[in-house]
Amino acid sequence: MYGVVKISFYNENSYEESIIELFETLGYNHYYGPDVERDYKNPLFMQDLENLYNINRNLDKNAVDKAIEVIQDFGIASLEDINNKFMSYLQNGVSVNYWQDGKEESTLVKLVDFDNLDSNLFSVINQWTVVDKETKIPDVVVFVNGMPLVVCELKSPSREDADTSYAYTQLKKYMQVIPVLFNYNAFCVMSDLSISKAGTITSTEDRFMEWKTTDGSYESTQWADFTTFFEGIFEKNRFLDILKNFIVYSNDSAKKIKILGAYHQYFAVNKAVKSTIQAIESDHKAGVFWHTQGSGKSLSMVFYVNKLQQELESPTFVVITDRNDLDDQLFSQFSKCSDFLRQTPKQATSMKNLKDLLNDRKANGIFFSTMHKFDDYDESLTDRDDVIVISDEAHRSQYGLEEKVDPKTGEIKIGAARRIRNALPNATYIGFTGTPISRSDKSTREVFGNYIDIYDMTQSVEDGATVPISYESRIAEIQLDEAILQKIDEKYWELREQAEEYNIERSKRELSKMESLLGAPEIIDDICRDIVQHYEDNRAYELTGKAMIVAYSRPIAIKMYKKILELRPDWDEKVKVVMSGSNKDPEEWHEIIGDKSYKKELENKFKDDEDPMKIAIVVDMWLTGFDVPSLATMYVYKPMKGHNLMQAIARVNRVFKGKEGGLIVDYIGIASELKKAMSEYTERDNKNYGDMDVDKKAYPKFREKLEVCRDLFHGFDYSKFFGESNLERSKVISDGVNFMEDITQKDRKKDYLKESLLLKKALSLCRSRANEEERFEAAFFEAVRTVLVKVSSKDTLTVPEINKQITELLNQSIKSTGVINVINVSDEVSLFDPEFLDRVRAMESKNLTISLLEKLLNDQINGYKRTNIVKSEEFSDLIKQTMNSYINGHITNDEVIEELIKIAKRLRDAHLEGEELGLTEEELAFYNAIALPENIHDFYDNETLIKITQELTESLRKNRTIDWQKKESSRANMRKIVKRLLKKYDYPPEDMDFALDKVIAQCELWVDEVA
């Protein structure tokens, strides 16, 4: 029904009608906003809000009255605070006190009946006017029981200048000017037919996500269309489930972040809940939940706990991690969501404390513990069978049910899994992991069972939940012997695996020898010099410049820190060490490492994209469960393997605006371990990401795109760009833009914009591999692309901004100094400035001059399109005729420039006309419409025309109503007022009825703009 549409005839209104029709097929009631009689300052749909009395029919009417009063008076607070409070009311009900028979009573009033779907009223309303700081009319609003829970902003599929990004900007604008609507907002939707995404009031644009399935299958997600999106979210049962269980505020002292669960989290969590309920009745193995690193595993745990505690009779959860810092991180995430979970998580300080926590209650509780607390514990903590054990990355901790014998003492050592099983014998176990279980790992499956859901790397990247990772080896650059590194790596893992009680001392001695080899001053010096150079040349300007250095050990981390500061003394704010401390540490370390509060301060600084701290040197801390979305670079000087390696490198796979991928820079030789680790992943992950080497992927792709861009510039000499003169560089860029703006080669420009963007993306991952000439060439292509994009974008053009952007680009990419003026005109860009027009006329790049003038003129006319119908049509026609004459070869470059300058002068004169007539800009628009007929002055003198204009403007101002823009009866009334006033002056003259049509059209434009 929705698949076949002719895009050219399919505008925003058509798409809106399609969405309405889709909602109707899902069983929603439809209303047209302007037909609903209401108070525009109240965004609630009062007719449906009455349903609260129905779903709370067992309560006293006074209680429901009080709840309705509560949700309409939130007091003075930020939008996030009000919305957070409302979401609690929506998900849990409104707690009210009310008077009944002279007595004060208290009860809980439901806003939605989550248990009885059909008790609720689902409505979709288009063109729902809201008056707050301004008056705005969102496209489509979805209501449940009269509450506007979802705002949908739709954009025309046939308009290139209005896509989902434009819809996002509009939604953010609405939040600022009609915040009263968003008090009740669960989430927002932006859609333009080809792309549909959902996000919350705190989501950045890159965190708005698609919904790609209606049944949890990942089979056809690559081609998910808008029907899948809307049916996937708004099928009534699923919609209520999302509202109740998959929207959470993550709150800390700094800010509130509202999160909408992604489609993969929704379906996987529901599978996990079902699997757990079945496991409680059978073998207590709920399964393994594998969602690739960075795809929101911690939040999936929160959603899982929240939903399961409703499905079961208030179970108790024990969350086990294998490291203290991970315990802190996961505990912190749960604590931020404690309002949503409706209970406060607790960290067990010891096994005795955990036992007390479990036995002091018979229901509820979310308790955190680390694996090592179970080491020497052989008693039962509790025999309760309503305990759910959640293990984070369980397979990483040598989980085992088997027992080992110490050959020296004969003591039996029990595996971690067995110890936990003994301590919690009747519990049900579920494992959450970001990396796959090894095919040879039978223990993990024996403890937890099989996979519940797999969300692999390929799917995650395809969905935009994570970005891909690339690998670059620098071992050759610092001339380390790869064979020696391989032996060290093998020895390191052999010793780590043998480090049992009986030979730990020998292992420590061997590891100490390796430490002295890898920490040798000359090696540290070589590596640090290379890191500093690599960072400055290639990564300092990548996004926010955040990078992480993973050091072999704590002493080596300190050595690297000192060496980097020796090389760059002014980097004391830029680079910091983050690692655990010990009482035995040398005195000088204490100041570098700091205490727990200092580490927290460093964490906040590193997460702040604007903070001068850009590089963190770590050993173990921050390598798992630590998220900094803008972090794009990791320098590795530590042997890692398997899931530890994959967890560590995932620090750079988080999504951030403009982030093409994360880069791992290797100084220790982890390539073979990367391949081994990837072999455990899904078949398609191996195919797509089995080899991350930039030398095999990103760099060949870069060279391929470089060749394509060269071909597109065939016949153009840009060799002077490689010289030293900024003036010459500016001219070559300007001429390059001029070459691409050739009106006869439109396909070439289109291809170039696409290919040069792909070139830029490839280079961001392999810049250090490109030689100087390639980097210079790529910088030229990027400079030309940037100017072309600016000159043809829908945003208002600012020439100084273009010059500034190109200057910064070349400063960063090829270390040029000084200012680049690609468009060498005065700083003040004004079409009404004769000096500016003279300088534009004198530009040598004629194609660029024409594009520049056309863009500046259209920017001006776009302003007219919203306010003055006569002038916008007049000047649009003039530009169209002029450009058509040029395209068809009827006029030359010089002639078209002169014609465009003439239009600019006429535009200036049109602006001055109002001042000369004593009219405001608003009045001038009506005057232009009234005075449009050629011989109008034969019938009226100018004084009369001005009088008609002023009376008309005043009459419209007095009689305007909120709903003029959308309500046909109101528009008819407006037309009646206009005709009555004009008739008083016998306007229009006989045989000039078209003049009346134009005046009415101007009045309607004015109404739309005012609205």
Side-chain angles (χ1 to χ4, degrees):
M1 188 195 303
Y2 305 101
V4 182
V5 284
K6 289 189 176 178
I7 294 294
S8 55
F9 301 109
Y10 196 71
N11 59 24
E12 210 164 292
N13 288 340
S14 311
Y15 186 38
E16 190 175 293
E17 286 162 17
S18 294
I19 296 301
I20 296 297
E21 196 179 329
L22 207 161
F23 271 102
E24 287 178 314
T25 64
L26 291 170
Y28 287 66
N29 303 313
H30 169 237
Y31 301 88
Y32 179 54
D35 292 342
V36 180
E37 294 296 330
R38 52 182 278 263
D39 172 6
Y40 291 111
K41 292 183 179 178
N42 184 352
L44 295 167
F45 183 27
M46 300 307 287
Q47 175 184 313
D48 279 11
L49 196 69
E50 292 288 315
N51 194 48
L52 294 189
Y53 294 102
N54 176 45
I55 65 174
N56 294 283
R57 53 186 169 276
N58 59 324
L59 301 181
D60 189 277
K61 180 179 179 295
N62 291 327
V64 183
D65 289 343
K66 184 66 179 175
I68 290 174
E69 188 184 310
V70 167
I71 65 168
Q72 291 185 85
D73 183 11
F74 292 101
I76 298 170
S78 70
L79 174 59
E80 289 81 5
D81 284 336
I82 291 171
N83 187 253
N84 187 19
K85 188 181 285 186
F86 172 73
M87 287 306 301
S88 176
Y89 293 157
L90 182 72
Q91 292 170 334
N92 308 308
V94 185
S95 180
V96 296
N97 294 324
Y98 64 99
W99 290 92
Q100 183 182 18
D101 302 329
K103 256 192 342 184
E104 190 176 26
E105 305 282 355
S106 63
T107 190
L108 198 66
V109 178
K110 291 185 288 190
L111 297 183
V112 175
D113 190 341
F114 290 106
D115 299 319
N116 302 290
L117 177 78
D118 294 335
S119 299
N120 302 289
L121 288 179
F122 296 82
S123 297
V124 59
I125 306 181
N126 56 324
Q127 305 304 318
W128 186 251
T129 301
V130 179
V131 177
D132 197 352
K133 297 173 187 174
E134 293 181 17
T135 301
K136 293 291 176 190
I137 308 175
D139 293 330
V140 174
V141 182
V142 182
F143 294 80
V144 177
N145 298 330
M147 295 168 291
L149 300 184
V150 181
V151 177
C152 305
E153 192 57 29
L154 311 176
K155 288 298 152 213
S156 169
S158 58
R159 278 181 60 195
E160 285 185 17
D161 63 337
D163 53 12
T164 50
S165 285
Y166 189 61
Y168 174 78
T169 305
Q170 208 152 343
L171 285 168
K172 295 311 271 187
K173 172 76 172 169
Y174 288 165
M175 289 174 211
Q176 291 166 7
V177 299
I178 49 167
V180 66
L181 175 63
F182 292 89
N183 290 346
Y184 307 97
N185 186 259
F187 57 89
C188 300
V189 166
M190 54 189 198
S191 177
D192 68 353
L193 187 70
S194 61
I195 297 172
S196 301
K197 294 183 176 184
T200 72
I201 60 169
T202 67
S203 300
T204 53
E205 187 180 350
D206 56 289
R207 296 315 304 174
F208 269 67
M209 302 296 285
E210 295 177 88
W211 193 281
K212 293 185 164 188
T213 179
T214 56
D215 61 3
S217 161
Y218 299 120
E219 291 303 310
S220 58
T221 53
Q222 208 165 350
W223 299 278
D225 59 9
F226 79 99
T227 56
T228 302
F229 175 88
F230 283 97
E231 289 172 2
I233 292 179
F234 292 106
E235 185 278 320
K236 288 181 184 178
N237 281 295
R238 194 152 41 241
F239 185 33
L240 289 193
D241 193 10
I242 291 166
L243 292 175
K244 172 75 171 160
N245 299 307
F246 291 89
I247 301 173
V248 59
Y249 263 97
S250 179
N251 302 326
D252 60 25
S253 55
K255 60 181 174 180
K256 288 179 164 62
I257 299 171
K258 187 178 184 183
I259 298 153
L260 168 67
Y263 81 92
H264 64 275
Q265 292 172 310
Y266 173 83
F267 287 106
V269 165
N270 276 317
K271 285 182 195 173
V273 168
K274 186 179 176 184
S275 169
T276 305
I277 292 168
Q278 290 170 347
I280 289 169
E281 301 301 322
S282 55
D283 60 3
H284 296 275
K285 299 174 186 177
V288 176
F289 187 111
W290 170 24
H291 279 205
T292 200
Q293 309 100 313
S295 61
K297 179 166 58 75
S298 300
L299 279 163
S300 293
M301 289 187 198
V302 171
F303 292 136
Y304 167 77
V305 167
N306 174 65
K307 185 144 192 194
L308 196 59
Q309 66 188 0
Q310 295 170 62
E311 297 285 331
L312 300 175
E313 291 295 317
S314 306
T316 299
F317 296 89
V318 177
V319 184
I320 299 175
T321 60
D322 63 351
R323 291 231 309 275
N324 288 334
D325 58 331
L326 275 186
D327 189 53
D328 290 342
Q329 285 161 11
L330 199 51
F331 173 72
S332 170
Q333 180 62 77
F334 270 72
S335 298
K336 289 174 184 176
C337 301
S338 57
D339 290 347
F340 174 69
L341 294 164
R342 306 194 73 198
Q343 55 177 315
T344 304
K346 291 185 168 61
Q347 270 179 307
T349 54
S350 64
M351 290 304 283
K352 180 183 180 306
N353 179 228
L354 181 57
K355 185 170 186 173
D356 292 343
L357 288 169
L358 286 165
N359 293 306
D360 282 351
R361 60 175 67 219
K362 294 298 175 193
N364 294 319
I366 305 168
F367 307 130
F368 285 74
S369 178
T370 49
M371 191 83 65
H372 62 77
K373 287 190 177 77
F374 289 83
D375 279 354
D376 298 310
Y377 196 82
D378 52 9
E379 299 173 35
S380 170
L381 287 168
T382 180
D383 293 333
R384 285 170 53 196
D385 62 0
D386 61 346
V387 174
I388 312 296
V389 176
I390 299 173
S391 183
D392 185 31
E393 304 296 351
H395 58 296
R396 200 168 57 198
S397 307
Q398 294 160 6
Y399 245 90
L401 291 165
E402 74 284 354
E403 290 145 349
K404 292 180 183 175
V405 180
D406 184 326
K408 273 190 177 178
T409 64
E411 185 186 349
I412 296 172
K413 302 292 289 183
I414 301 171
R418 174 63 66 202
R419 289 196 301 273
I420 294 170
R421 279 280 193 197
N422 291 347
L424 297 162
N426 298 319
T428 297
Y429 292 78
I430 184 169
F432 279 76
T433 176
T435 54
I437 301 167
S438 167
R439 291 184 182 90
S440 60
D441 179 0
K442 293 184 178 65
S443 300
T444 302
R445 286 187 182 81
E446 202 172 333
V447 175
F448 299 107
N450 294 318
Y451 286 125
I452 298 166
D453 191 72
I454 296 174
Y455 186 67
D456 64 10
M457 202 181 284
T458 301
Q459 190 67 50
S460 179
V461 171
E462 183 189 298
D463 290 348
T466 57
V467 297
I469 298 171
S470 294
Y471 164 90
E472 176 185 345
S473 172
R474 299 291 294 175
I475 292 166
E477 277 72 15
I478 55 170
Q479 295 171 349
L480 284 176
D481 189 323
E482 211 155 344
I484 290 176
L485 282 178
Q486 183 65 29
K487 282 180 186 169
I488 288 173
D489 188 52
E490 286 166 8
K491 192 70 176 169
Y492 176 82
W493 290 110
E494 181 192 327
L495 294 168
R496 281 287 292 265
E497 282 158 16
Q498 288 175 358
E500 305 280 353
E501 296 293 334
Y502 56 86
N503 68 357
I504 199 162
E505 289 308 315
R506 184 176 70 80
S507 297
K508 279 182 178 176
R509 284 196 300 274
E510 294 289 341
L511 286 167
S512 176
K513 286 180 192 171
M514 287 165 60
E515 168 97 30
S516 53
L517 177 63
L518 292 172
E522 61 275 15
I523 290 180
I524 295 295
D525 184 79
D526 285 348
I527 289 173
C528 289
R529 283 180 190 280
D530 193 71
I531 288 174
V532 167
Q533 185 180 348
H534 186 279
Y535 177 79
E536 287 181 328
D537 288 351
N538 310 298
R539 308 303 293 175
Y541 297 106
E542 191 62 37
L543 305 175
T544 61
K546 300 283 183 181
M548 195 179 269
I549 300 171
V550 186
Y552 174 81
S553 64
R554 295 190 321 122
I556 284 177
I558 296 291
K559 286 179 184 178
M560 293 179 86
Y561 173 70
K562 287 180 175 177
K563 174 52 70 175
I564 288 171
L565 284 187
E566 182 188 310
L567 296 169
R568 295 291 182 274
D570 58 339
W571 279 19
D572 56 323
E573 283 298 309
K574 181 174 277 193
V575 61
K576 300 289 180 185
V577 177
V578 180
M579 65 186 198
S580 54
S582 159
N583 294 333
K584 297 176 184 175
D585 288 340
E587 188 66 34
E588 60 171 333
W589 286 22
H590 293 171
E591 194 177 331
I592 297 170
I593 299 170
D595 57 13
K596 194 170 182 177
S597 65
Y598 177 68
K599 288 185 182 70
K600 186 65 186 172
E601 182 190 331
L602 291 184
E603 181 180 324
N604 293 334
K605 284 166 75 67
F606 200 59
K607 287 182 175 181
D608 180 355
D609 293 331
E610 305 302 319
D611 194 271
M613 181 187 169
K614 300 297 181 189
I615 301 171
I617 302 175
V618 304
V619 181
D620 291 309
M621 290 183 74
W622 291 9
L623 289 183
T624 47
F626 180 75
D627 286 357
V628 177
S630 68
L631 175 64
T633 315
M634 176 180 278
Y635 296 98
V636 177
Y637 188 52
K638 176 182 181 175
M640 290 185 283
K641 69 193 287 189
H643 37 254
N644 289 320
L645 173 59
M646 300 310 290
Q647 283 283 353
I649 68 173
R651 296 317 99 207
V652 297
N653 81 344
R654 292 345 189 225
V655 173
F656 189 78
K657 190 172 184 180
K659 188 171 178 179
E660 179 61 17
L663 181 65
I664 303 302
V665 186
D666 178 17
Y667 290 92
I668 196 77
I670 60 170
S672 60
E673 290 300 342
L674 256 181
K675 281 185 181 169
K676 274 188 214 166
M678 279 304 303
S679 69
E680 301 287 354
Y681 279 67
T682 62
E683 191 177 330
R684 62 179 186 165
D685 278 355
N686 266 290
K687 182 183 171 189
N688 295 327
Y689 306 109
D691 195 338
M692 305 175 185
D693 195 337
V694 292
D695 290 331
K696 294 175 184 170
K697 282 203 163 183
Y699 186 49
K701 173 66 76 177
F702 163 73
R703 295 190 69 171
E704 175 200 322
K705 295 304 170 189
L706 194 67
E707 193 59 48
V708 171
C709 289
R710 280 177 192 148
D711 289 345
L712 289 166
F713 263 102
H714 179 70
F716 179 81
D717 181 9
Y718 49 89
S719 57
K720 288 186 178 174
F721 182 83
F722 297 89
E724 295 295 322
S725 165
N726 277 335
L727 181 63
E728 288 290 352
R729 271 195 200 127
S730 301
K731 191 171 180 318
V732 172
I733 296 168
S734 178
D735 289 346
V737 175
N738 189 63
F739 180 78
M740 282 294 161
E741 286 287 14
D742 187 340
I743 204 81
T744 64
Q745 300 287 336
K746 282 203 164 182
D747 285 346
R748 179 175 67 190
K749 176 183 168 182
K750 188 178 171 186
D751 290 345
Y752 178 75
L753 285 170
K754 177 187 163 191
E755 297 295 336
S756 56
L757 178 61
L758 293 171
L759 176 74
K760 177 195 176 188
K761 288 180 174 182
L763 181 61
S764 73
L765 297 172
C766 65
R767 188 177 296 279
S768 67
R769 290 303 194 238
N771 60 42
E772 188 177 47
E773 187 176 333
E774 288 171 334
R775 286 201 306 274
F776 265 73
E777 209 169 355
F780 167 71
F781 292 141
E782 177 57 14
V784 171
R785 187 191 74 83
T786 301
V787 179
L788 286 170
V789 167
K790 286 284 184 186
V791 171
S792 56
S793 81
K794 61 179 178 279
D795 298 325
T796 303
L797 182 74
T798 60
V799 172
E801 185 59 36
I802 289 180
N803 289 332
K804 183 184 172 197
Q805 200 170 332
I806 298 300
T807 299
E808 286 176 0
L809 187 152
L810 297 187
N811 286 349
Q812 293 167 13
S813 58
I814 59 172
K815 302 288 185 283
S816 77
T817 54
V819 176
I820 305 287
N821 283 315
V822 179
I823 302 173
N824 193 18
V825 294
S826 55
D827 282 347
E828 289 302 316
V829 177
S830 171
L831 277 175
F832 306 148
D833 177 4
E835 186 188 337
F836 172 75
L837 291 174
D838 287 342
R839 295 189 75 164
V840 169
R841 182 190 275 117
M843 285 171 61
E844 290 179 25
S845 305
K846 299 302 179 187
N847 294 333
L848 174 55
T849 305
I850 294 163
S851 296
L852 184 63
L853 280 169
E854 187 186 8
K855 168 68 178 162
L856 291 168
L857 284 167
N858 281 323
D859 284 350
Q860 282 293 327
I861 291 162
N862 282 339
Y864 267 143
K865 278 178 183 171
R866 294 191 301 272
T867 57
N868 190 319
I869 196 166
V870 171
K871 290 301 175 189
S872 73
E873 286 177 358
E874 178 188 335
F875 287 114
S876 291
D877 287 346
L878 275 172
I879 290 178
K880 204 176 283 179
Q881 288 165 17
T882 303
M883 293 307 295
N884 281 342
S885 294
Y886 171 57
I887 291 164
N888 294 327
H890 299 151
I891 54 176
T892 64
N893 279 15
D894 289 331
E895 285 169 336
V896 76
I897 289 167
E898 287 308 317
E899 287 301 317
L900 291 172
I901 286 174
K902 277 182 197 170
I903 296 171
K905 288 176 178 174
R906 284 178 66 173
L907 260 171
R908 179 187 62 200
D909 294 342
H911 270 271
L912 296 173
E913 187 183 1
E915 291 174 31
E916 290 165 6
L917 294 170
L919 298 172
T920 64
E921 195 173 325
E922 190 177 57
E923 290 168 339
L924 180 62
F926 289 114
Y927 174 84
N928 290 147
I930 292 165
L932 179 63
E934 250 180 85
N935 56 342
I936 197 72
H937 287 90
D938 293 347
F939 298 91
Y940 311 96
D941 58 32
N942 217 36
E943 218 171 280
T944 305
L945 292 173
I946 289 172
K947 194 176 178 190
I948 297 172
T949 296
Q950 291 173 329
E951 278 190 39
L952 177 62
T953 311
E954 185 58 28
S955 178
L956 286 171
R957 278 201 203 108
K958 276 183 184 170
N959 290 284
R960 82 174 175 209
T961 59
I962 294 298
D963 54 6
W964 268 12
Q965 189 188 24
K966 296 293 175 185
K967 204 165 186 176
E968 190 46 49
S969 60
S970 299
R971 292 181 94 88
N973 187 47
M974 179 267 293
R975 288 192 285 271
K976 197 191 299 177
I977 292 166
V978 172
K979 286 176 182 176
R980 193 185 303 137
L981 187 143
L982 294 177
K983 195 172 183 183
K984 190 170 97 175
Y985 290 96
D986 291 327
Y987 186 97
E990 206 173 327
D991 299 329
M992 288 193 188
D993 287 346
F994 69 88
L996 178 61
D997 294 340
K998 192 60 73 176
V999 175
I1000 294 289
Q1002 174 59 43
C1003 292
E1004 293 192 333
L1005 182 70
W1006 177 82
V1007 165
D1008 290 347
E1009 180 59 19
V1010 167

